[in-house]
Amino acid sequence: MMGSCVLYCGIDIMTPASIFLILLGMYFAVGTVIGLVFVIIGIRKIDPVAAGAPLRVRFIFLPGTISIWPIVLYLWRTKLKAGSSS
Amino acid sequence: MTVSYTWVQWNKHKKIYDLIMLALSLIFVATFILTSTLVYKDDEAISAMILAIRAFGILAIILLHIILCIGPLTRITPLMSPILYNRRHLGVMMFFAALIHAGLALLFYGAFGVRSPFAGLFDGYHAYTSISGFPFEIMGLFALLILFVMASTSHDFWLAFLTPCLWKSLHMLVYLAYAFVLLHVVFGALQSERHPALATALIAGAVTVFALHIVSGLKEFKPSLQAQEADAPWIDIGLVNDFPMDQGRVVCIANQERVAIFRHNDGISALSNVCAHQAGPLGEGRIVNGCVTCPWHGYQYHADNGQSPPPYTERIPTYELRIEGERVLLNPQPNPPGTPVTPAVRSSEPSSDEVGET
Ligand code: HEM
Ligand code: FES
């Protein structure tokens, strides 16, 4: 192991494996933040059906946003634009 | 067909279906652990944790096979439609089985030792779980990540948000996940040469999935009907009596484009064969309560305008039909989605030599 970079929990962060897992963790972390904003506020502006759903129902869309947040961001933007121009 | 969203879109049928599948799954896991404990004794005894890991792994892969076979099977026999109807819930259930499997594996082989639970994913314990040292767990992880994407976007909201086309493409990734699962099991479990039964089952499963897709693909293929020179652009699609009452028929026009034909009351109507929900084959459906009903998940459309009955808002393209004598002619140019078209009716009573076939 490359001793200099071993975290206290035992992960050697310099192996390809650890780098992959850390990136994956970061991806999910970013997704969680974006997801929270999306389901609490964002969704109401772009989906009339979801807008009518109570918050606790909208939370079921959180895992999906976490898993594909780049697509969500892209479509969110497109839909907002389409909404404001019409 | 969404007017409001709920947590899980359950109805009575889906609840019964889910309960049965859940019960069968739990019975499978319990039986697996119990029989293995009875069979492998003393020296050969396997810890309950390992058995649980294996049981959930095998449960997940069985569910995955069912999911992959339902689609082609419904094309071959409509008897399978009720299972197709709730395939999505089955998919989510499979994800949870795989998640439990992976979670237990990571806990057992990782966290209880000195290493981080995840370190083992790539380089941890192959010394005794596989001969070649191929990191089979990483294949499992890739599969699990794909299954997560699909399970987490299975709600109808995602179908609407992503558009059916993108949603469907995303969910086609299930085949990639299947490939990863096969690698995971081939390199991991199989290489430790524990059970020839698993190898046989795996090969049989893969062959079945493959064969079913080929057979249903062949069945799907229909020669395209061409317009008669003299009567272009109208295409002769057959006799009025070729089309059964209230039962759909698919005809294939140029470019493998499919049109669903429905005979209802006295008239015949033509709609796009592609359901607005997830592109199910409408022509393989029936007329229920006066509406064309998709065989996949039951979306409905009026045959004479391609519109879903209110409060639903789906619309699909319609086609013009005309009846000449007993022959049905179709204009291959689709109308914009939701365009009303008067159903074609026989212009007069058929002459005596034209009736007779039923
Ligand atoms: C991060 C993800 C995963 C990890 C870490 C993982 C780990 C493992 C491990 C350690 C084994 C060997 C168990 C043993 O024999 O002691 C195994 C076997 C197996 N896994 Fe996974 N797995 C993962 C994902 C999956 C997925 C997604 C599926 C299927 C959908 C799956 C299906 C199986 C099957 C069928 C076996 C063979 C069970 C047996 O040996 O009887 N795994 N997995
Ligand atoms: S494809 Fe789902 S109802 Fe038609």
Side-chain angles (χ1 to χ4, degrees):
Chain A
M1 283 205 186
M2 292 169 224
S4 57
C5 293
V6 178
L7 296 181
Y8 79 97
C9 58
I11 302 178
D12 180 350
I13 57 171
M14 289 312 286
T15 64
S18 319
I19 293 172
F20 176 80
L21 288 173
I22 289 169
L23 288 179
L24 188 66
M26 283 160 69
Y27 179 88
F28 284 150
V30 173
T32 310
V33 175
I34 293 176
L36 284 172
V37 180
F38 183 66
V39 300
I40 296 174
I41 317 165
I43 229 172
R44 286 161 46 191
K45 299 226 167 101
I46 52 163
D47 186 313
V49 183
L55 191 60
R56 91 195 126 74
V57 169
R58 279 182 274 139
F59 262 97
I60 200 144
F61 311 141
L62 187 59
T65 321
I66 295 176
S67 70
I68 55 164
W69 61 264
I71 304 181
V72 171
L73 274 188
Y74 174 76
L75 289 178
W76 190 354
R77 228 184 62 150
T78 342
K79 283 178 200 232
L80 272 183
K81 271 190 188 159
S84 61
S85 64
S86 68
Chain B
M1 296 238 128
T2 321
V3 277
S4 72
Y5 291 133
T6 50
W7 254 74
V8 182
Q9 274 144 343
W10 263 318
N11 57 31
K12 200 171 133 225
H13 299 289
K14 293 199 175 194
K15 267 198 181 140
I16 294 174
Y17 179 114
D18 289 349
L19 280 177
I20 292 177
M21 291 315 285
L22 189 66
L24 287 178
S25 302
L26 292 180
I27 291 173
F28 170 80
V29 170
T31 319
F32 184 93
I33 298 181
L34 211 69
T35 40
S36 309
T37 322
L38 292 178
V39 172
Y40 300 102
K41 281 215 178 98
D42 305 325
D43 280 359
E44 291 183 312
I46 306 172
S47 86
M49 187 64 147
I50 294 188
L51 288 178
I53 294 172
R54 292 182 186 166
F56 279 104
I58 293 177
L59 173 64
I61 205 172
I62 292 177
L63 291 176
L64 183 57
H65 276 89
I66 299 179
I67 289 164
L68 289 174
C69 291
I70 297 173
L73 272 178
T74 15
R75 305 236 134 152
I76 297 167
T77 146
L79 286 177
M80 298 299 288
S81 318
I83 304 189
L84 182 76
Y85 176 61
N86 208 17
R87 179 166 56 173
R88 258 194 270 176
H89 288 192
L90 211 54
V92 176
M93 208 182 283
M94 171 199 44
F95 167 71
F96 281 113
L99 188 67
I100 295 176
H101 160 79
L104 291 180
L106 289 177
L107 276 180
F108 184 72
Y109 290 107
F112 298 152
V114 282
R115 307 169 45 112
S116 130
F118 291 102
L121 254 181
F122 293 81
D123 52 15
Y125 37 88
H126 315 111
Y128 55 91
T129 51
S130 98
I131 292 167
S132 71
F134 183 85
F136 72 93
E137 298 85 0
I138 193 71
M139 297 293 133
L141 177 67
F142 287 155
L144 192 67
L145 289 176
I146 297 177
L147 297 180
F148 173 56
V149 170
M150 299 197 318
S152 66
T153 58
S154 64
H155 197 279
D156 257 351
F157 161 75
W158 291 105
L159 189 66
F161 181 75
L162 297 173
T163 70
C165 182
L166 182 58
W167 191 86
K168 187 108 189 165
S169 319
L170 207 61
H171 283 240
M172 281 291 146
L173 286 176
V174 70
Y175 291 100
L176 190 63
Y178 183 50
F180 279 129
V181 170
L182 286 183
L183 287 175
H184 172 68
V185 183
V186 167
F187 285 101
L190 287 188
Q191 287 204 359
S192 53
E193 285 170 41
R194 283 196 324 267
H195 24 214
L198 184 62
T200 323
L202 201 67
I203 295 171
V207 169
T208 312
V209 169
F210 190 71
L212 280 176
H213 280 79
I214 300 275
V215 171
S216 75
L218 286 178
K219 202 175 148 151
E220 271 282 274
F221 181 81
K222 291 201 164 82
S224 321
L225 299 166
Q226 297 293 336
Q228 242 84 121
E229 287 294 320
D231 204 18
W234 293 82
I235 299 177
D236 185 339
I237 57 170
L239 295 168
V240 174
N241 285 335
D242 290 343
F243 299 97
M245 264 311 178
D246 291 344
Q247 179 84 47
R249 272 291 138 92
V250 182
V251 298
C252 199
I253 55 180
N255 306 328
Q256 283 291 306
E257 201 173 310
R258 281 146 209 279
V259 181
I261 313 290
F262 284 91
R263 184 166 165 208
H264 183 53
N265 297 337
D266 293 331
I268 304 192
S269 306
L271 297 171
S272 156
N273 190 45
V274 185
C275 179
H277 180 220
Q278 280 169 45
L282 285 178
E284 291 169 27
R286 285 185 303 130
I287 302 242
V288 178
N289 299 332
C291 281
V292 169
T293 306
C294 178
W296 281 13
H297 319 95
Y299 273 40
Q300 291 193 309
Y301 307 89
H302 290 298
D304 53 4
N305 60 16
Q307 302 175 8
S308 289
Y312 304 111
T313 52
E314 279 76 16
R315 279 153 191 248
I316 52 170
T318 53
Y319 290 83
E320 313 274 344
L321 285 180
R322 162 175 126 205
I323 298 180
E324 250 164 46
E326 275 301 284
R327 306 224 63 102
V328 184
L329 302 177
L330 168 91
N331 181 346
Q333 201 56 47
N335 296 318
T339 312
V341 172
T342 321
V345 287
R346 288 190 177 98
S347 40
S348 57
E349 279 307 299
S351 56
S352 56
D353 57 324
E354 272 170 330
V355 277
E357 337 149 59
T358 39

